């Protein structure tokens, strides 16, 4: 049959991979949006050097900076944690609150958030290629009527691709510096950064920063 011939020629492999990528993207979206991003629990006792990966750099931070108690949820905040008023929780290694996910991006789901952006970028690039390959250009009203759907789809995919690409590149840059979006944007308002002798006391080099984040 035609289906068997297409399978033998490998023509069904690409659509299958594309569908699996879309499915993976959807699963990652729900995983990142529904999981605990690293909420600080009230019963947790915050001890010095508790946060993983910070023991090497904490001595570089002035000793007079003490862990403060959150004025909203009244928990003792670990270093690099921040209270999110939308989630009503303090989040460990807080990066930002994502309105598209309706969840914070923090210590626990940040790596999965990067994975989601990466898979989403591949899906968008593939979809953009498919939409572009289906277009043939002619200067006529009839051409526009027959190709308006593909043209609008390509333009939307192009816009979303630029947005996701910029998000992914910016996050990878911040990760390579071992800083977060919140720390980068509010450096002058954060006590442990404002009073530190180093511009970024958590930076341990690109390779070690990436290793600690992903591994």
């Amino acid at each position: 049959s035609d289906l068997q011939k297409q399978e033998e020629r490998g023509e069904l492999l690409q659509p299958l991979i594309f569908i699996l990528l879309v499915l993976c993207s959807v699963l990652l979206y729900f995983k990142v949006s529904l999981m605990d991003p690293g909420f600080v629990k009230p019963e947790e006792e915050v001890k010095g050097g508790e946060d993983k990966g910070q023991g090497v750099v904490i001595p570089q931070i002035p000793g007079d900076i003490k862990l403060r108690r959150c004025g909203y949820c009244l928990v003792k905040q670990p270093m690099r944690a921040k209270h999110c008023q939308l989630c009503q929780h303090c989040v460990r290694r807080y990066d930002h609150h994502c309105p598209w996910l309706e969840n914070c991006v923090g210590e626990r789901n940040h790596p999965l958030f990067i994975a989601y952006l990466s898979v989403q970028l591949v899906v968008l690039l593939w979809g953009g290629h498919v939409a572009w390959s289906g277009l043939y250009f002619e200067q006529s009203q009839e051409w526009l009527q027959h190709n308006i759907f593909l043209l609008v789809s390509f333009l939307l995919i192009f816009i979303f691709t630029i947005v996701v690409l910029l998000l992914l590149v910016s996050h990878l840059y911040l990760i390579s510096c071992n800083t977060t979006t919140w720390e980068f944007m509010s450096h002058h308002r954060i006590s442990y950064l404002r009073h530190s002798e180093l511009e970024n006391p958590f930076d341990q080099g690109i390779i070690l920063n990436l290793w600690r984040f992903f591994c």
Side-chain angles (χ1 to χ4, degrees):
S1 64
D2 292 339
L3 189 62
Q4 289 178 333
K5 292 180 180 178
Q6 289 177 339
E7 184 179 1
E8 291 174 356
R9 293 195 298 265
E11 295 177 359
L12 297 180
L13 183 61
Q14 289 188 0
L16 180 61
I17 295 176
F18 182 78
I19 293 173
L20 290 176
L21 283 173
V22 172
L23 180 61
C24 179
S25 174
V26 173
L27 292 177
L28 281 171
Y29 173 84
F30 283 109
K31 177 66 174 177
V32 176
S33 63
L34 296 177
M35 74 179 295
D36 178 355
F39 294 137
V40 181
K41 304 298 189 299
E43 64 272 12
E44 292 179 356
E45 290 293 332
V46 180
K47 300 179 181 179
E50 177 191 16
D51 292 341
K52 295 180 180 179
Q54 293 184 13
V56 178
V57 295
I58 282 180
Q60 298 174 341
I61 299 173
D64 57 344
I65 298 177
K66 298 180 180 180
L67 300 179
R68 70 184 187 90
R69 191 169 293 279
C70 177
Y72 295 97
C73 53
L74 303 179
V75 298
K76 203 169 185 181
Q77 288 183 334
M79 188 73 71
R80 311 186 77 177
K82 181 184 181 297
H83 183 86
C84 176
Q85 296 190 19
L86 295 175
C87 292
Q88 295 297 311
H89 284 286
C90 286
V91 180
R92 293 179 179 274
R93 202 180 183 278
Y94 175 87
D95 189 87
H96 71 287
H97 182 92
C98 181
W100 305 105
L101 297 172
E102 285 294 332
N103 195 13
C104 285
V105 175
E107 183 180 71
R108 294 189 62 191
N109 64 350
H110 201 169
L112 285 176
F113 179 72
I114 298 300
Y116 166 69
L117 289 179
S118 302
V119 174
Q120 191 64 48
L121 181 61
V122 174
V123 171
L124 287 169
L125 289 172
W126 197 333
H129 171 72
V130 172
W132 179 262
S133 63
L135 289 171
Y136 61 95
F137 294 95
E138 294 180 5
Q139 294 182 351
S140 66
Q141 184 71 23
E142 185 178 353
W143 174 89
L144 186 61
Q145 292 177 352
H146 285 86
N147 292 272
I148 186 66
F149 177 75
L150 276 177
L151 188 60
V152 171
S153 298
F154 176 77
L155 291 176
L156 289 175
I157 290 173
F158 177 77
I159 294 173
F160 289 139
T161 300
I162 296 299
V163 172
V164 172
L165 179 62
L166 291 176
L167 271 174
L168 181 60
V169 170
S170 63
H171 274 275
L172 288 176
Y173 168 74
L174 293 176
I175 291 167
S176 69
C177 300
N178 196 2
T179 189
T180 63
T181 302
W182 173 58
E183 291 172 339
F184 181 78
M185 300 295 293
S186 305
H187 188 280
H188 61 287
R189 296 194 290 114
I190 302 174
S191 59
Y192 60 80
L193 295 179
R194 186 174 67 249
H195 299 298
S196 174
E197 296 179 359
L198 301 176
E199 183 177 355
N200 180 13
F202 301 108
D203 187 7
Q204 297 178 279
I206 295 177
I207 296 178
L208 190 55
N209 290 339
L210 293 174
W211 174 264
R212 286 184 178 277
F213 181 84
F214 288 107
C215 305

